[in-house]
Structures are given as structure tokens and as C-alpha cells.
Amino acid sequence: SKLENVASGLVINRSAFGEPTITIRGQSTIYGNAQSLIVLDNFPYDGDLNNINPNDVESVTVLKDAAAASIWGVRAGNGVIVITTKKGKKDQPLQVQLTGNVTVGDKPDLNYLPLISSAGFIDFEEQLFNRGYYTNLEQAPDAPALSPAVELLIKRRDGVLSDSEAARQLEELSKTDVRSDLNDYFFRNSVKQQYALSLKGGNPNLRYYFSSGYDNNLLSEVNNSYKQMTLNSALTFTPIKKLELSAGLNYNQSSQQLNNPGISLLSSSSSYADKRLYPYAKLADGSREPLPVTKSYSER
């Protein structure tokens, strides 16, 4: 997120499926690897950028001209991102740094989505029903799911419900907006916590840097969270003037919970067989008890 919109020509392509990709100077190949080369402390880095503690980063350089290829080889054709982490310095007394921040975010604004109203959706379903659109689905042997409004129309047609009772129930459905229940039960204010502790210093022959980081993120979707712990150490030993020995250790442990599909519940589809959530779904009753939602099979 710190790289985004900072360097010209650097584009971060975010997707709902998988990690974002980074490109420099646009798409350079159709079938080949278009990912930019990431160099971490003079070594190519193929891991996830999220595994690097941002508090350990000293500087970032974006290379996008021919000089990059002359330094880093053929993989530099898609651009290079050079990341240098913090190190101890010679004759530096011990320095201890502790940082922490907490970020609180609002719930997503579901009403921002340009969705058809429940009343409009039911009117459209009734038009399709009168033209026989649901006949094959209604008679299919595997009994696929039909929305509650369509089920009411079937009951009205078959005489199970009177016209007035069916109209009353359809009117009740038309006043229901699933976004209200999603806002109450599926979303919350996000809380993101980040803490970092580092120690660095050195003498004429030895430089050292140790750090640890901890992230604890409660995402805006209820029951979704992300936790991460990082440990980083770097030692540089100079026994004689022209000889330098370096050793480092990087450790990352993360856990993620994704139990809530969130906004994908509201995705629209051109195929009724996809069984997306209808806009008048009621997820809980007045006592906040969960209600059944038509998903795979017909209520009948």
C-alpha cells in the first residue's frame, strides 16, 4: 500500500481472487511472467510482500529503464523493485525503537451499490413468471431453488394462497432490504493493530539489527481476521578491513480466518441457476434468531 501511487509507471492490480500483482511500465508479455522482479537486500525475493515488516524497510527504489536489466539480468525486463532493510551501523550505541498504531475503519456502505430495489426485483420476477420463464425450473427433477417471491406466485396460481394473501406477502417482501440485515449481522467496524520493536547498534567489528512485529487485524466482515508475527535479525562481522561476513534470519508466521463471504453475497448474475442472494432475503427475525435462506433446493 505504501508503493501504490508513489512511483510513476508502477501499477498494483488488485483482484478478489488471490494476491495483487505489481507491474512496471505496463504489460510487456502475453503468456510469459509479467511480474516485476523484487530484490530484497541484494537477493531476488519471490515471497509475499506482506511477509516483510514495513517497519524494517529502510528504502525502496523502483528501476524501470535499461539500466535495470544491465544490473539484474533478463528478469529485470518487467522492472525492478529494490528493497533495502535497516541495518546496524559501526560505532553506533544501542538504539531501541518501539512503535504501535491502531486504525479503526467504518463499515462498508452497502447502499452505495447500484442495486435494483426489492419491489423492482419482484415486479421483474412476476413478469418472467407470467411468461413461463420458471416453468422448466419448477418441473425439473432435481428441484432447484426458486426465490420466495416465485414460490408465492406458484402458490397463488395453484390456489394454495388467495390473491389477496399472496399480494400481502409479496408487499411484505418488497419492503425488505437484505442490505439492512447484512449491515447488522455480517459487517462491523474494522480494527487493525500493528506493533513493532527493534534494536540496533554496532562497534568497529560487529553491526547488529533485531526486530519483531505483530499485526492483529479484525476485518470489517464479522468472523474474518488476520494475524501475523515477524522476526528479523541481521549480523555483519568485519574481522579485517576487506572481509565482511553477514548472516540473517527472517521468520514469519501468519493466520487468516475467512468465514464471511461479505459483499460477494450481493453479486448479480445473468444466470438464475447461479442462485445468488435475492435482495429481499431476511436473515434474522425480530429476536435476532437466524432464518433459513433459499439456496440449493426448492422450498417445496
Side-chain angles (χ1 to χ4, degrees):
S1 62
K2 290 187 177 182
L3 290 174
E4 196 166 16
N5 302 322
V6 171
S8 61
L10 187 149
V11 178
I12 298 180
N13 302 298
R14 302 189 180 278
S15 170
F17 310 99
E19 295 295 330
T21 59
I22 299 176
T23 57
I24 299 175
R25 299 183 305 178
Q27 188 79 4
S28 60
T29 176
I30 297 177
Y31 298 108
N33 181 13
Q35 184 78 0
S36 301
L37 174 65
I38 298 175
V39 176
L40 178 64
D41 289 336
N42 298 320
F43 285 92
Y45 178 77
D46 295 317
D48 185 356
L49 275 178
N50 291 317
N51 292 338
I52 301 175
N53 186 343
N55 294 284
D56 290 338
V57 175
E58 180 74 32
S59 65
V60 177
T61 304
V62 178
L63 305 176
K64 51 188 176 181
D65 53 17
S70 66
I71 300 173
W72 302 105
V74 67
R75 285 190 61 187
N78 296 321
V80 184
I81 299 175
V82 181
I83 301 175
T84 303
T85 60
K86 297 176 181 178
K87 302 288 190 301
K89 298 179 180 180
K90 289 184 179 180
D91 298 321
Q92 180 184 56
L94 172 64
Q95 293 185 358
V96 180
Q97 184 177 27
L98 175 64
T99 62
N101 61 74
V102 178
T103 305
V104 180
D106 288 335
K107 292 182 181 181
D109 182 9
L110 301 183
N111 292 320
Y112 180 79
L113 295 172
L115 299 179
I116 188 172
S117 67
S118 296
F121 192 88
I122 293 173
D123 288 342
F124 188 63
E125 285 184 307
E126 190 166 6
Q127 292 181 43
L128 293 175
F129 181 83
N130 293 334
R131 297 178 184 181
Y133 177 80
Y134 300 107
T135 302
N136 290 335
L137 290 170
E138 180 186 353
Q139 298 174 355
D142 57 342
L146 295 172
S147 71
V150 175
E151 295 286 2
L152 286 174
L153 295 172
I154 292 174
K155 292 177 181 179
R156 184 182 67 179
R157 181 202 62 196
D158 295 341
V160 178
L161 285 178
S162 65
D163 290 348
S164 59
E165 178 60 21
R168 186 193 67 79
Q169 293 191 33
L170 288 172
E171 177 67 18
E172 184 177 337
L173 289 178
S174 70
K175 296 179 180 179
T176 302
D177 190 337
V178 68
R179 290 176 293 184
S180 176
D181 279 357
L182 286 172
N183 187 66
D184 290 341
Y185 305 116
F186 276 67
F187 293 97
R188 64 187 173 190
N189 292 335
S190 62
V191 180
K192 298 183 178 182
Q193 304 174 64
Q194 185 182 68
Y195 306 98
L197 173 65
S198 65
L199 299 87
K200 65 179 180 179
N203 54 46
N205 300 110
L206 179 66
R207 291 172 287 161
Y208 59 88
Y209 179 85
F210 301 98
S211 72
S212 64
Y214 177 69
D215 293 2
N216 183 17
N217 298 338
L218 299 179
L219 306 184
S220 57
E221 299 87 4
V222 174
N223 286 337
N224 287 0
S225 62
Y226 176 79
K227 295 181 179 180
Q228 178 176 250
M229 182 182 68
T230 61
L231 296 175
N232 180 33
S233 66
L235 294 173
T236 302
F237 180 53
T238 309
I240 58 178
K241 187 174 182 180
K242 294 186 177 182
L243 177 63
E244 185 175 274
L245 304 176
S246 299
L249 173 66
N250 292 279
Y251 176 78
N252 176 280
Q253 178 177 320
S254 61
S255 63
Q256 190 172 27
Q257 287 189 341
L258 295 175
N259 301 314
N260 187 339
I263 206 67
S264 63
L265 286 169
L266 293 173
S267 300
S268 60
S269 172
S270 60
S271 173
Y272 193 86
D274 280 350
K275 306 178 185 66
R276 304 298 176 127
L277 188 64
Y278 37 92
Y280 47 82
K282 190 70 175 173
L283 305 182
D285 60 19
S287 302
R288 302 179 69 86
E289 292 297 323
L291 294 174
V293 176
T294 302
K295 180 178 183 292
S296 299
Y297 299 102
S298 168
E299 294 176 3
R300 290 168 284 110

